[in-house]
Amino acid sequence: MTYEEFISDVVRGVEALGAAIMVIGGVGALLVAAVAVIRKDPRHRAYNDLRRNLGRAILLGLEVLIIGDIVRTIIVDPTIESVAVLGLIVIIRIVLSFSLEIEIDGTTPWSRWRHEHPTDE
């Protein structure tokens, strides 16, 4: 086994981990929501918790997938074209992550502190 083959296998493992995080996190979020509905929690709260937990699972999975993309591009296929593709993938995933984070928290990351520490005016 060559170094490139080993790294390719590692990248596939990282990608599988990222996908598993999203699948297991999604199933876990659905189970938590189902328990909330069975316990007769308010439907809007169960729905909001489901969306938040699904979003978190997707965010974490995307972050792990980005690691795999970076390693593949740097070590396995370091060409200008692969770097350009990596840049595009990272930009798309950043936009997805950013929009998911806003969806989960209901605010932009840079204004979150205003909601956590309101002024006494």
Side-chain angles (χ1 to χ4, degrees), residues 1-120:
M1 173 179 277
T2 67
Y3 178 72
E4 286 80 16
E5 291 171 339
F6 173 74
I7 294 299
S8 291
D9 290 344
V10 169
V11 168
R12 280 194 288 277
V14 169
E15 289 172 342
L17 177 64
I21 287 170
M22 287 190 270
V23 170
I24 293 168
V27 169
L30 289 171
L31 290 175
V32 168
V35 168
V37 168
I38 291 169
R39 286 189 321 195
K40 306 274 192 241
D41 286 355
R43 298 278 193 252
H44 71 280
R45 184 170 152 223
Y47 174 73
N48 288 335
D49 288 348
L50 173 62
R51 289 184 67 203
R52 186 178 310 108
N53 292 334
L54 280 173
R56 288 178 178 158
I58 293 168
L59 277 172
L60 183 57
L62 284 173
E63 296 296 331
V64 173
L65 288 172
I66 288 173
I67 292 168
D69 289 335
I70 291 170
V71 170
R72 176 186 294 113
T73 300
I74 291 172
I75 295 175
V76 177
D77 189 24
T79 64
I80 294 295
E81 292 150 10
S82 66
V83 171
V85 169
L86 173 66
L88 185 60
I89 289 170
V90 169
I91 288 170
I92 290 169
R93 289 189 178 161
I94 286 171
V95 169
L96 282 172
S97 296
F98 184 73
S99 63
L100 281 170
E101 196 165 333
I102 290 173
E103 186 72 25
I104 290 168
D105 295 336
T107 185
T108 56
W110 54 83
S111 63
R112 187 177 307 133
W113 67 271
R114 287 187 209 138
H115 299 285
E116 294 172 356
H117 307 289
T119 59
D120 296 326

